[in-house]
Amino acid sequence: MIRLGVPRLPAIHWPSVRGRGRADAGPLALVAAVVVVVTLLAGAAPPLLRAAADDAVQDAARTAGRNADVTAHARWPYDDAPGGGRARTPHLAADIEDFRDQAVGALDPGLRAVLGPPVAMVTSPTLKVTDGSLLRTFQLAYLLDERGAYSDTQVSWIAGGPPAPAVPSDDASVTAPYDGPPWPVQVGLSEADAAALDLGPGDRIPLADQYRRVKNVVVSGIFRATDSNDPTWRLAPWLLQPAAGADGVGTTRLGGLLSPDSLPDARLAFDQDELDRAVRFTPDPDALGSDTSEAIAAALVTLKATSGSSNVGDTTLKWETQLDLVLRDVQTRINAASAQASVLLIGVLAGAVLILLLAADLLARRRAQALTAARQRGAGLPDLAAELLIESAAVTVAAAAAGLALARMATPGVSLWWTIPVALAAIAAGPGLGTLLAARSTRDVRAPANRTARRWLRQTAQLRRAALEAAIVVTAVAALVALHQRGILPATPGGATGAWSTQDSGAALPSGAPALGILAGALVLLRLLPAATTFALRRALRSRRPLAALGTARAAATSTHALPLLVMVASVALATYALTFDATARRGLADGAWRTVGADARLDANPAAGIDMNAVGRSIAATPGVRQAVAAQVTDNARVTTESTLVTPRLVIVDAAAFQRLLASIPVPDAPELARLAPTGQDDVPALVRSGDRSLLPGMRLQLPRGDDEPALRLTAVGTAPAVGDTADVVIVDASALTAAGVPAVPNTVWVTGPGAAQAVAAHAEGATAVVRADVLHERRTAPLTAGLLRLAWMSAAALAALGLLGLTLGAAAGAPERWLTLSRLRTLGLRLREARWVAAGELLPPVAVAAIAGPLLGVLLAHLTFGPLALRLLIGSPTDPAVMVAWWGAGLLALTLLAAVTVVVPIESALRRRRRLSELLRAGGG
């Protein structure tokens, strides 16, 4: 009967474990240091990115302003009286309060938790001030928040009093005939609006609606806001002061505040559905976060999808908001930043794994004799593997724990997943290589005497290596193809990118494309290096310089050592890639700041402020340090009609020649087509157009409305306009051509260039807003996601540069015993110490030179191949991807540092080994 053997547990020889640990404390400490640093970076980066993502969501909500508000609208119930006419509803203010409570009750609890207090609003249609000015409008508004109506609680009356009812407030039998005279309604005016209208208590405001029907609106009093910074006022800022451009080009909107007593009269002063009632919820930015964005956006989409239709004649709630779109946009940026961070982190992990393999190879070489002796004394391979595994696990676990502890001290949390590759490599590399070396040194397989058999074994080994290298190259090509096909963002089932898509299981391969591509390039260089050194050796043997021949011979003999070259090339290439990432992002941010501001500085004024911007522009131009100052009228959301649709571009009315000179003096694309805007004497005014959706194209005929009583101004698109600001749709018209057509320009913007531009606009900023390009650039660079990615790029480049230098040091240390044994024996034959150092430098220089020259080029090549799919435009907030900006200074510094390190390593090696005895040098097998 055959009895199966029971597997035994490895027999651990603890004195050997302790002895090897003490003998090799230096290399083990080096491995521990690498694990600590890389674990710290990999464990801290994801939590910091999550914190930056939360800050980005909050900043997006703040920046969106009113677009992020959640608004509920509802039609009014009909107020027809039984006997004809419309009934006055004295309790209308209480109905508005009930309407507000109804909107609050319709919200999802999770959504309600991130929204601020509700504010109920009743607003009239926009009316025209008929005092001779066609460019002033007026709107009545009633505001109610949880503190009450604003005419009662948040204002103080400095003249007159709050609006009173037109009839006794408790009389519910009052009706207004359908065809009766304008129903009277009282409103309060702010100090600024009253001064602009030159009206006081008891005066009637000359108003008419779009059908020229006169309205009977009387001023009850003049108020002053208790707190003009109260968030509720931002829902109707024209109640406090005139708002320019609120109703189109050159318009100024003013407002009258209604009270609970005058609100029923305002209901009768307009037709059934002319007053708009709404409840607005402003999101609380501090309550938002990247982890809750998806649920909030889903709740908003459901809320809008289930709300009533705008054409349904009932009183159901109809919800409107762009907060879900804001959250989707910022989540897309977060996804892009996370993917870009993963690319940088994978590069650092790849360099760390390679350096750990090199350190394990050095450790195995140092222990070759001890491991061989242990095997010869009867130690089994499982026993040796277990001993080495215990040692490496103890060092790695302690180092990883220290790195994670440091990361936890610096960040709100740690990421364990990113530390696993480094920990596994540190644990497995040393025992694996040590066990393999012990097995090879004590195996009893002899080399066959048959030459064919020896050639077959050699070719088999070469084929295995070629298969491994081919697999890496194929994987790198597949990663690059996947990156270009799917991009870096998560993919939805339909094939497009989505903000909260969970179809991201295949993101690891595209994210590793740069690292895999660089590794594949390093393998190609590894294949070419032996041929290059062999060619150099042949040339050196023909020369009369024996030192060159000796150094080249040593370089050719060690050119097949793969790990040192792989570590140096990969580290330098990945560091160059990270520096190029940083330089490209910073260049894109700088270009975006130029595009946003349009000059070194810009001065924007409210047309209602009455500032003569032409005079301000001339004064700024005379300021020392100012090269150019160009005044223009810039109107956002101007109403321009084409033959088929209405568009709302940014309308720029400017001196075309001066604007062309300004653009030529700043780093933005020139605009030679501005010369086409000169007056032609024809009926149509020439214009340049720019559109993101091709709704505006050269050759189109456009119309610019001017007012109800005047015909629209006809324009002809004669070319493509340059970008003006961050808007996609732009129309540019020459100021003199427009003046010749009977429409004088009223500048509200001055673009200023020159070193003194910031000081000049600051000195003239009274009543206007100064925008400085340097401030815009600083704000964008310090944005949470952008600043986090740029810091990570720098930290990655620094870590990879250090790994490259460490790779040079470890590679030199691995070959130092054999190298200096040979050189020391040559010294016994007359080779001087200085000459021995030159020979050692000649051995080390070829792989270092390859890494210093080919590494940066490989990093730049991968940057050009991968930056497009990485969607850097989302990081910098640009409509297009920035051009690749190579950090040649950084690449050159890396190359010079690597080459200079050779001049440091060689003298140190020489000093450590110059006192070896002659008997040690000549002893067979000595080292």
Side-chain angles (χ1 to χ4, degrees):
M1 180 177 179
I2 300 177
R3 298 181 62 182
L4 298 177
V6 179
R8 68 175 182 87
L9 294 176
I12 308 300
H13 190 248
W14 294 106
S16 297
V17 174
R18 290 191 294 269
R20 281 192 293 264
R22 286 193 298 268
D24 298 319
L28 292 176
L30 180 61
V31 171
V34 172
V35 173
V36 168
V37 173
V38 178
T39 301
L40 171 61
L41 179 59
L48 290 176
L49 186 61
R50 284 194 294 269
D54 292 338
D55 293 340
V57 171
Q58 296 168 6
D59 285 351
R62 293 188 183 97
T63 305
R66 293 187 61 180
N67 291 332
D69 290 352
V70 180
T71 307
H73 297 271
R75 300 185 68 173
W76 296 87
Y78 290 111
D79 56 1
D80 297 310
R86 298 173 60 193
R88 187 180 186 276
T89 308
H91 55 77
L92 197 57
D95 293 345
I96 295 299
E97 189 170 355
D98 294 339
F99 169 58
R100 183 194 63 189
D101 297 338
Q102 178 188 1
V104 173
L107 291 175
D108 177 85
L111 178 59
R112 182 67 187 91
V114 301
L115 299 178
V119 178
M121 296 182 60
V122 177
T123 54
S124 72
T126 302
L127 306 174
K128 293 183 179 180
V129 180
T130 59
D131 59 353
S133 173
L134 298 176
L135 299 180
R136 292 201 291 184
T137 60
F138 196 88
Q139 189 176 52
L140 286 65
Y142 175 76
L143 299 176
L144 173 72
D145 63 10
E146 294 179 333
R147 295 168 293 184
Y150 265 51
S151 55
D152 295 337
T153 58
Q154 300 299 318
V155 299
S156 58
W157 298 93
I158 60 176
V167 296
S169 58
D170 56 351
D171 189 351
S173 61
V174 176
T175 61
Y178 292 124
D179 55 353
W183 191 266
V185 56
Q186 293 187 12
V187 297
L189 292 181
S190 67
E191 292 179 281
D193 286 357
L197 292 171
D198 194 20
L199 298 176
D203 292 337
R204 181 172 175 176
I205 306 175
L207 299 175
D209 62 11
Q210 60 179 338
Y211 304 109
R212 301 185 181 180
R213 294 178 299 187
V214 176
K215 299 298 179 180
N216 186 4
V217 180
V218 179
V219 179
S220 67
I222 300 174
F223 67 86
R224 178 182 299 159
T226 305
D227 181 11
S228 59
N229 296 321
D230 191 322
T232 301
W233 287 116
R234 77 177 181 87
L235 302 179
W238 49 85
L239 291 176
L240 297 183
Q241 59 184 0
D247 297 303
V249 180
T251 62
T252 302
R253 181 189 292 182
L254 303 97
L257 183 64
L258 295 168
S259 69
D261 292 332
S262 65
L263 180 60
D265 298 320
R267 177 85 168 96
L268 296 179
F270 296 90
D271 290 341
Q272 288 278 359
D273 293 321
E274 283 191 322
L275 282 185
D276 177 67
R277 61 171 181 165
V279 178
R280 302 184 72 98
F281 300 84
T282 300
D284 180 9
D286 295 332
L288 296 173
S290 59
D291 54 342
T292 60
S293 295
E294 181 177 4
I296 294 171
L300 291 171
V301 171
T302 302
L303 191 66
K304 292 193 293 185
T306 56
S307 65
S309 174
S310 60
N311 58 4
V312 175
D314 56 25
T315 59
T316 57
L317 296 178
K318 304 168 184 63
W319 293 91
E320 296 178 356
T321 183
Q322 294 185 24
L323 179 59
D324 56 330
L325 301 179
V326 171
L327 294 178
R328 285 183 179 275
D329 289 342
V330 71
Q331 186 63 39
T332 301
R333 294 186 62 235
I334 292 172
N335 289 344
S338 300
Q340 293 156 4
S342 67
V343 170
L344 296 174
L345 284 178
I346 288 175
V348 175
L349 295 182
V353 169
L354 288 175
I355 203 70
L356 290 173
L357 290 175
L358 182 57
D361 179 68
L362 173 62
L363 194 60
R365 290 171 181 265
R366 289 171 58 95
R367 294 176 170 178
Q369 294 183 0
L371 294 176
T372 302
R375 280 287 288 157
Q376 291 173 348
R377 289 194 300 266
L381 288 178
D383 302 335
L384 289 177
E387 292 174 3
L388 296 176
L389 185 62
I390 291 173
E391 177 190 76
S392 65
V395 172
T396 302
V397 170
L404 292 176
L406 292 175
R408 184 63 182 84
M409 294 171 59
T411 61
V414 294
S415 175
L416 296 177
W417 289 105
W418 284 99
T419 63
I420 291 177
V422 177
L424 291 179
I427 291 174
L433 293 178
T435 304
L436 183 61
L437 187 146
R440 288 178 175 176
S441 63
T442 58
R443 64 182 178 181
D444 54 359
V445 179
R446 298 291 183 265
N450 188 294
R451 182 182 303 176
T452 303
R454 291 197 303 270
R455 184 168 57 249
W456 181 85
L457 290 176
R458 185 171 59 254
Q459 291 176 350
T460 301
Q462 293 174 351
L463 286 175
R464 289 173 180 171
R465 177 181 173 181
L468 178 61
E469 295 175 353
I472 295 175
V473 172
V474 170
T475 304
V477 172
L480 289 172
V481 172
L483 178 63
H484 279 270
Q485 285 186 345
R486 73 182 296 277
I488 202 68
L489 296 177
T492 62
T497 58
W500 292 287
S501 172
T502 58
Q503 308 295 321
D504 200 26
S505 57
L509 186 62
S511 297
L516 288 171
I518 288 172
L519 182 59
L523 289 175
V524 173
L525 294 175
L526 181 63
R527 282 289 186 177
L528 297 177
L529 182 60
T533 54
T534 301
F535 175 77
L537 178 59
R538 292 175 181 174
R539 298 295 300 269
L541 291 175
R542 300 174 184 176
S543 68
R544 297 182 180 180
R545 297 179 180 179
L547 293 181
L550 289 175
T552 308
R554 289 295 307 163
T558 59
S559 62
T560 56
H561 295 174
L563 281 176
L565 180 64
L566 288 179
V567 170
M568 288 187 288
V569 171
S571 298
V572 173
L574 289 170
T576 303
Y577 185 89
L579 291 175
T580 303
F581 181 96
D582 174 81
T584 301
R586 292 182 184 274
R587 178 62 179 271
L589 291 170
D591 292 343
W594 279 110
R595 183 176 58 252
T596 298
V597 180
D600 288 307
R602 190 182 73 231
L603 192 66
D604 298 330
N606 189 331
I611 301 176
D612 186 355
M613 296 300 285
N614 281 319
V616 171
R618 290 190 295 269
S619 176
I620 291 177
T623 304
V626 174
R627 296 193 182 101
Q628 295 184 71
V630 178
Q633 179 180 343
V634 180
T635 305
D636 290 329
N637 300 318
R639 297 175 67 251
V640 176
T641 59
T642 67
E643 297 177 354
S644 59
T645 184
L646 171 68
V647 292
T648 55
R650 171 172 292 175
L651 177 63
V652 181
I653 305 173
V654 64
D655 183 345
F659 191 46
Q660 186 175 6
R661 290 192 299 271
L662 182 140
L663 293 180
S665 65
I666 60 177
V668 297
D670 293 339
E673 293 187 346
L674 285 169
R676 300 183 180 182
L677 296 183
T680 60
Q682 301 178 357
D683 293 337
D684 292 357
V685 177
L688 299 182
V689 297
R690 185 183 190 90
S691 177
D693 57 1
R694 299 182 63 82
S695 58
L696 295 173
L697 294 173
M700 285 185 171
R701 291 184 176 273
L702 314 174
Q703 288 188 344
L704 180 65
R706 291 190 287 177
D708 294 339
D709 299 330
E710 298 184 30
L713 183 67
R714 294 185 301 176
L715 309 176
T716 299
V718 297
T720 302
V724 180
D726 297 324
T727 185
D729 299 334
V730 178
V731 175
I732 300 180
V733 182
D734 182 67
S736 59
L738 204 65
T739 302
V743 182
V746 182
N748 59 356
T749 295
V750 177
W751 288 298
V752 186
T753 63
Q759 294 80 2
V761 297
H764 294 79
E766 184 177 358
T769 302
V771 183
V772 180
R773 181 189 58 82
D775 296 340
V776 172
L777 179 59
H778 175 74
E779 180 182 356
R780 294 183 177 182
R781 282 182 176 174
T782 56
L785 287 178
T786 304
L789 261 296
L790 295 181
R791 283 196 298 268
L792 180 59
W794 269 100
M795 294 172 64
S796 300
L800 288 165
L803 291 177
L805 292 175
L806 186 57
L808 168 61
T809 304
L810 292 180
E818 181 183 358
R819 176 168 55 255
W820 285 97
L821 176 62
T822 302
L823 293 177
S824 298
R825 287 173 177 172
L826 289 175
R827 287 193 61 199
T828 64
L829 300 178
L831 190 69
R832 289 177 294 183
L833 178 60
R834 181 180 178 183
E835 295 172 340
R837 291 177 178 176
W838 278 109
V839 174
E843 177 183 343
L844 294 177
L845 268 178
V848 174
V850 169
I853 297 173
L857 296 179
L858 193 57
V860 172
L861 174 62
L862 266 296
H864 281 279
L865 291 177
T866 60
F867 275 10
L870 286 186
L872 289 181
R873 65 185 181 279
L874 298 175
L875 173 65
I876 64 176
S878 173
T880 58
D881 289 320
V884 176
M885 182 68 181
V886 181
W888 290 116
W889 65 268
L893 182 61
L894 288 173
L896 291 177
T897 303
L898 206 60
L899 292 172
V902 177
T903 63
V904 177
V905 170
V906 172
I908 293 176
E909 284 187 352
S910 174
L912 292 175
R913 299 180 180 273
R914 64 184 302 175
R915 293 187 177 182
R916 301 192 65 177
R917 297 179 180 179
L918 181 61
S919 60
E920 296 177 355
L921 300 176
L922 299 179
R923 185 184 303 121

